[in-house]
Amino acid sequence: MSKVRAAITAVAGYVPDYVLSNAELERMVDTTDEWITTRTGIKERRLLKGDLLGSSDLGKEAVNALLEKRGISAEEIDLIICATATPDMLFPSTGNLIAHKVGAKNAFAFDIMAACSGFIYSVTTASKYIESGQYKKIIVVGADKMSSIVDYEDRSTCVIFGDGSGAILLEPAEDDLGIQDTIMRSDGSGWTHLHQKAGGSLRPSSHETVDQKMHYIYQEGRSVFKFAVTKMADVSAEIMERNNLTGDDIAYLVPHQANKRIIDATAQRMGVGPEKVMLNIHKYGNTTNGTIPLCLWEWENKLNKGDNIILAAFGGGFTWGSIYLKWAY
Ligand code: UT7
């Protein structure tokens, strides 16, 4: 019997309405549209405004749209994996909250926390549940309300991040399409360069941690850039090599959207031209676990059955990884 593979059978995305433009950021911090555009490629990003709305509210929108698109009910879902770096609460998991909000009564749910690589880790994990033969319909939802941990007085981070979510449905593949290969890597020594200092068990929240702004993203941009630019390219080239693929074989690279310069370096290393690179960083910034599914959602109409697609990400931890799949519809 041939191996059961997992295929993406539907995609949906959601971004909130509020647009935070570079022009507005110029009025908030000491920055310029020119600096942001040339250093990152970002023009605007979306923010989730309103009280008591969290990443689960972003994720819920994408999952509901996904179910409607595929024409199935929430009760048919076996498992929801939520990739998030900004959970609504430390517990219960945001996946649990999304399952409840969409009415996925028969699903079990959990979160995967791997910073910006969470979506790659989650799709890989979900694919193994499908390959086991025991589960038939799994949703992976990447959802991040990055604005909840961004210091809008820190110009080095507030220009980068945005809020958004994307969801995919994974089902057993037909015709040997779907996920062909995955690579996941991590290196915990990189934690010092990108983290949130307080709010966990190491440094529980206190007046002092709030006063010292320890609940915001701390990033040493230049160090992270150096690792990201090599590791994301390495892991994309590695998955191509071990599957005997050249740039000509690839229909699309779907890169995590952290910085256009990192994306360009990855594409160059893979030998794929800019026309084959999914890019929405100019509109949404870095939505962490939302970037890859939001790209797939926006490019869905251009994809053809059998297309060779590479997903790749690099994030805090450090974490990084790639997925090679054949588009299934
Ligand atoms: O998604 C998870 C993983 N994260 C990443 O992959 C992010 C990787 N890092 C990056 O994308 C880039 O490092 C950043 C976009 C974060 C920063 O770009 P950079 O070219 O590495 O700039 P830098 O941090 O080296 O700073 C260069 C200069 C500094 O001024 P001095 O020290 O040279 O006088 C900064 O203070 O740019 C300054 N700067 C800014 N200037 C205007 C930093 N942020 C801004 C800003 N506007 N918003």
Side-chain angles (χ1 to χ4, degrees):
M1 212 174 80
S2 68
K3 177 180 155 100
V4 177
R5 292 189 193 277
I8 298 175
T9 54
V11 189
Y14 174 76
V15 287
D17 293 334
Y18 189 86
V19 177
L20 175 60
S21 65
N22 287 354
E24 187 174 352
L25 280 164
E26 282 178 347
R27 296 191 290 275
M28 292 162 63
V29 289
D30 180 15
T31 193
T32 59
D33 172 51
E34 203 263 332
W35 191 95
I36 303 170
T37 307
T38 54
R39 306 311 290 168
T40 70
I42 302 168
K43 283 292 192 189
E44 56 189 42
R45 62 295 285 146
R46 301 297 183 97
L47 300 192
L48 180 63
K49 298 275 190 180
D51 291 337
L52 284 177
L53 293 172
S55 295
S56 73
D57 296 289
L58 294 167
K60 171 192 78 178
E61 298 290 343
V63 171
N64 276 332
L66 182 79
L67 292 168
E68 198 183 324
K69 202 165 173 183
R70 185 78 176 103
I72 57 174
S73 87
E75 293 177 8
E76 292 176 56
I77 302 302
D78 299 314
L79 164 62
I80 295 181
I81 302 180
C82 178
T84 186
T86 50
D88 283 25
M89 312 169 215
L90 276 179
F91 66 90
S93 76
T94 301
N96 259 294
L97 300 173
I98 294 173
H100 169 63
K101 287 179 182 182
V102 303
K105 295 194 179 98
N106 299 313
F108 69 110
F110 58 86
D111 289 356
I112 284 187
M113 168 54 187
C116 293
S117 307
F119 191 76
I120 295 274
Y121 276 40
S122 299
V123 172
T124 301
T125 304
S127 72
K128 304 301 170 197
Y129 280 89
I130 297 278
E131 287 168 16
S132 77
Q134 194 177 350
Y135 302 96
K136 307 289 182 206
K137 285 186 169 49
I138 302 181
I139 289 176
V140 176
V141 50
D144 270 303
K145 184 184 172 187
M146 296 307 292
S147 61
S148 65
I149 55 167
V150 165
D151 176 1
Y152 286 95
E153 293 180 351
D154 173 9
R155 69 176 182 172
S156 70
T157 50
C158 73
V159 302
I160 295 170
F161 295 97
D163 301 339
S165 67
I168 61 164
L169 182 66
L170 284 170
E171 297 183 79
E174 289 166 6
D175 307 330
D176 221 26
L177 299 172
I179 294 173
Q180 307 290 310
D181 196 9
T182 62
I183 300 176
M184 292 187 290
R185 298 265 152 74
S186 62
D187 176 1
S189 70
W191 78 272
T192 51
H193 303 293
L194 178 51
H195 57 274
Q196 189 180 331
K197 292 190 182 300
S201 56
L202 185 68
R203 275 203 197 91
S205 312
S206 66
H207 284 292
E208 194 191 356
T209 62
V210 173
D211 290 346
Q212 293 184 15
K213 296 189 160 199
M214 290 174 133
H215 296 269
Y216 294 125
I217 298 168
Y218 170 82
Q219 175 168 262
E220 293 158 9
R222 209 172 300 189
S223 312
V224 179
F225 185 91
K226 270 190 216 150
F227 280 94
V229 83
T230 36
K231 298 295 186 191
M232 202 162 106
D234 283 353
V235 86
S236 306
E238 185 182 343
I239 208 161
M240 284 173 68
E241 267 159 39
R242 74 185 200 189
N243 289 282
N244 300 314
L245 297 167
T246 68
D248 291 342
D249 301 317
I250 305 298
Y252 284 102
L253 163 66
V254 195
H256 170 53
Q257 313 274 309
N259 187 314
K260 182 157 183 310
R261 290 181 289 145
I262 298 171
I263 295 170
D264 290 346
T266 302
Q268 201 174 8
R269 176 84 179 278
M270 293 168 66
V272 304
E275 72 287 354
K276 292 183 173 182
V277 180
M278 294 190 193
L279 204 66
N280 60 17
I281 190 170
H282 54 292
K283 289 193 292 187
Y284 306 139
N286 182 349
T287 55
T288 302
N289 289 290
T291 59
I292 290 176
L294 279 169
C295 280
L296 289 172
W297 173 56
E298 292 198 320
W299 262 260
E300 188 186 23
N301 290 340
K302 296 195 178 86
L303 300 176
N304 295 306
K305 200 170 176 174
D307 277 354
N308 288 318
I309 293 177
I310 305 284
L311 317 181
F314 181 90
F318 292 131
T319 55
W320 64 104
S322 59
I323 293 176
Y324 162 43
L325 61 88
K326 284 182 182 289
W327 196 249
Y329 62 99

